Amino acid sequence: MGPTSTADSESSQARARRWWVRGRGVGTIQRAGKFVDDVGFALLFPAPRPIGPSLWEAVAGEDREPFGAGMGEDEQKVWAWKDELPRRGLAWYGAYLGGRGTFLSPTLLAALYPGAGELDDHEQLELSPAAHEIAAALAIEPLSSAALRSLLGDRNKYQRAITELQRNLLVTSAGVQELSNGWPAALLTLTCEQFDVGGRGDHGEAAMQYLDTMLDASPAELARAFRWPAAKARERLDQLVDTGRATSDGTRYRPRLR
């Protein structure tokens, strides 16, 4: 094993510990909330290319494939938690990192949230007409995904609009609603109704959380994660170096060891 592969192995092991893959696993929803609060952001299920921690790996370990043997106990657990964690205010959930189902801690959510925390925050953003229509409807009351699809009259238009709203952190899950056909539908609400957000944006702290969780990152990776311009990502990371909170070799950035 050469020097590079040794460094890669050590990095993988460090991330496994940081991402709660090693050690005592996550077995309860309360501990799942603590996990998200600690790492700041986590996918529901792991991506093919590691872009962050995942709740699945914290529950089941790094070697098990989700749904490898169908809908097992762990699959049922994390699938239910994607709606229950935001309902309890323990973590925001929506399509965010890489367009995948993502949890954000309340602290990181507040640092990234783009609006003032008002019901009309969507009006200040450039969104599609369908996204504005959904946000306006949710400003009145939480609605099920089935009701919102019916409102737009087009499943694909709904999916594009809800993804757009979640990508901008404006909408989150709020539990489920039982339907007459027996299949529950996700209940959706405005983020500002479910979490304390608005007026507390802090992209410097968001960059620090990203670096603290990833342990090693480039400006391009940070930019992709939070949909920032590359120049802004580099500026935030350089500020962390200037204030002694991070180190850099000019290409990669790492949190400074405490």
Side-chain angles (χ1 to χ4, degrees):
M1 182 180 291
T4 300
S5 57
T6 299
D8 289 344
S9 176
E10 291 175 351
S11 177
S12 296
Q13 292 178 26
R15 279 186 173 178
R17 290 190 295 270
R18 180 68 185 93
W19 296 359
W20 292 40
V21 176
R22 306 281 168 81
R24 185 162 66 96
V26 172
T28 66
I29 191 168
Q30 292 80 10
R31 188 158 169 77
K34 291 179 180 178
F35 161 70
V36 177
D37 195 55
D38 180 46
V39 297
F41 59 92
L43 299 175
L44 176 60
F45 294 111
R49 177 177 60 82
I51 59 174
S54 74
L55 180 57
W56 168 260
E57 288 180 310
V59 169
E62 60 186 325
D63 297 325
R64 283 186 50 203
E65 193 73 24
F67 303 105
M71 179 66 89
E73 181 180 347
D74 286 338
E75 285 84 356
Q76 292 178 33
K77 190 182 298 182
V78 298
W79 192 254
W81 288 350
K82 72 179 174 58
D83 299 305
E84 188 62 15
L85 282 166
R87 188 188 74 80
R88 298 190 187 192
L90 295 175
W92 180 93
Y93 180 77
Y96 190 66
L97 282 181
R100 292 174 172 271
T102 305
F103 298 99
L104 297 179
S105 70
T107 300
L108 181 58
L109 172 67
L112 291 171
Y113 187 77
E118 303 293 338
L119 298 179
D120 61 356
D121 281 345
H122 67 100
E123 295 179 3
Q124 315 307 316
L125 300 177
E126 292 185 10
L127 304 171
S128 67
H132 283 298
E133 187 175 357
I134 287 178
L138 292 177
I140 299 173
E141 61 179 341
L143 292 168
S144 70
S145 53
L148 291 170
R149 284 195 297 269
S150 178
L151 174 69
L152 294 184
D154 184 302
R155 178 182 292 269
N156 291 332
K157 182 186 290 187
Y158 160 78
Q159 194 57 56
R160 288 192 298 271
I162 205 68
T163 298
E164 186 180 359
L165 289 165
Q166 291 176 340
R167 191 168 59 234
N168 285 281
L169 302 177
L170 293 176
V171 168
T172 189
S173 299
V176 296
Q177 184 179 76
E178 298 296 331
L179 301 179
S180 58
N181 63 10
W183 291 96
L187 193 64
L188 298 168
T189 190
L190 293 180
T191 295
C192 64
E193 289 279 80
Q194 199 72 7
F195 294 93
D196 180 13
V197 293
R200 294 189 293 119
D202 190 334
H203 286 180
E205 284 305 311
M208 188 65 233
Q209 177 68 77
Y210 182 80
L211 199 57
D212 183 66
T213 298
M214 298 303 292
L215 301 180
D216 179 284
S218 69
E221 290 165 349
L222 173 60
R224 281 195 298 270
F226 295 157
R227 295 180 177 81
W228 292 348
K232 175 180 177 179
R234 181 175 291 278
E235 179 184 2
R236 297 301 184 196
L237 291 171
D238 285 340
Q239 287 172 349
L240 295 176
V241 173
D242 291 342
T243 55
R245 303 178 71 187
T247 62
S248 174
D249 61 7
T251 303
R252 309 288 299 180
Y253 293 76
R254 298 173 182 82
R256 184 177 291 279
L257 297 177
R258 297 182 180 88

